[in-house]
Amino acid sequence: MPNKVTQLLPSTPDGVATAADLLGEGGLVSFPTETVYGLGADATNDTAVARIFAAKGRPSFNPLIAHVADIETAKRYVEWSDAAQKLADAFWPGPLSLVLPLKQNTGMSHLVTAGLPSLAIRIPAHPVAHQLLEAVGGPVAAPSANPSGKISATRATHVIDGLGGKIEAVIDGGDCAVGLESTIVGLLGEPALLRPGGVPAEDIEAALGAKLKHDTSPDTLLAPGQMSSHYAPGAAVRLNATDWQVGELRLGFGHVPCDLNLSESGDLIEAAANLFRHLHALDRMEGNRIAVSPIPDQGLGRAINDRLKRAAAPR
Ligand code: TXA
Ligand code: MG
């Protein structure tokens, strides 16, 4: 792909308008959401969507999430249901993606769905994302704005470091508040948790009044955020470290001596917000191994542990 200059746009009305124009012309623009930065393209433009896969080095069988400004726009592309309405009422706009049956002949690019009969869709809560989606007026396909398999981006400089020269622009919206990708819930049959994320699974079950199926069948490769190695820093990662070995970079949780602490007070919301930022920072330090404190496996801790397990997986 030819090298280009990636513009850093401010999160002002002008910056957002420029970004919307670039998307309208088939460009790639990274924008902040409350979860992580997305790498956006017009979801109805095959060429633009194909460029997302090229810029990220992403396998084309891995489908994308369509981002929309409101439920009316979502309903143009997916078959709506009572369960979808319940979850939308409880968590949209916010860090939840719903996988619903795809409507036919809507103009949605088949590259977004990787040819599946379903579509993952979400309404983000970040005001800049919302303004951008309103200005575009249609769906924007956006994976996380990192090279495939690497650490997700939670600030504009992460995006420039990973994708600078390959995309038209980044809107700088500061640090992402949630810091972990959206929770993905499949509503094709029994409600299923396809990826833990920014909304704890317990909260979704409470809103639905039903248990979520934890889908670990091979079909779940349809949500290949499930690929075992992902979010990988350059260094190897050792989990559940209760002691530190010589030469290790130490990512702590709670009152422990360490290089960087996810949350000294043991707060999982704070830890989620710090996770990718600290992994990026450790990645820039000297060291070939990162050791990580144990994280409680409840609430947002389940999503944090999911990301850490993949960061530690053999590559
Ligand atoms: O928070 C987020 O969700 C961020 C921000 C930018 O919105 N986006 C994000 O996208 O995490 P990405 O591409 O990194 O992860 C999307 C996940 C992948 O694991 C993909 O396989 C799954 O969603 N997915 C997309 N469409 C699907 C579908 N129709 N059925 C099942 N899984 C799907
Ligand atoms: Mg991703």
Side-chain angles (χ1 to χ4, degrees), residues 111-134:
L111 291 171
V112 172
T113 56
L116 295 172
S118 60
L119 176 69
I121 200 156
R122 106 169 170 99
I123 302 180
H126 197 294
V128 173
H130 190 78
Q131 288 153 22
L132 180 65
L133 293 169
E134 287 228 295

Side-chain angles (χ1 to χ4, degrees), residues 35 58 62 67 118 122 143-144 181-182 184 195 222-225:
T35 60
R58 180 179 176 111
N62 190 357
H67 297 64
S118 60
R122 106 169 170 99
S144 50
E181 293 86 345
S182 60
I184 305 179
R195 177 178 73 181
L222 299 182

Side-chain angles (χ1 to χ4, degrees), residues 65-218:
I65 298 172
H67 297 64
V68 293
D70 47 49
I71 294 188
E72 288 59 53
T73 312
K75 286 179 177 170
R76 298 213 304 258
Y77 297 95
V78 290
E79 304 289 352
W80 204 241
S81 61
D82 290 346
Q85 188 65 46
K86 261 192 201 167
L87 294 184
D89 285 342
F91 303 111
W92 276 359
L96 173 71
S97 297
L98 298 177
V99 174
L100 291 162
L102 176 70
K103 283 188 176 166
Q104 294 304 304
N105 303 318
T106 60
M108 179 60 61
S109 168
H110 293 296
L111 291 171
V112 172
T113 56
L116 295 172
S118 60
L119 176 69
I121 200 156
R122 106 169 170 99
I123 302 180
H126 197 294
V128 173
H130 190 78
Q131 288 153 22
L132 180 65
L133 293 169
E134 287 228 295
V136 170
V140 171
S144 50
N146 51 281
S148 190
K150 303 294 187 199
I151 308 167
S152 305
T154 57
R155 52 169 57 160
T157 51
H158 297 159
V159 181
I160 300 276
D161 289 348
L163 298 172
K166 295 185 172 170
I167 65 177
E168 273 67 32
V170 185
I171 308 179
D172 188 351
D175 284 347
C176 300
V178 176
L180 286 176
E181 293 86 345
S182 60
T183 304
I184 305 179
V185 173
L187 293 177
L188 302 174
E190 261 181 273
L193 180 68
L194 302 183
R195 177 178 73 181
V199 180
E202 297 91 326
D203 295 2
I204 293 170
E205 292 179 334
L208 270 178
K211 284 273 170 208
L212 288 170
K213 203 166 77 172
H214 288 227
D215 202 339
T216 50
S217 70

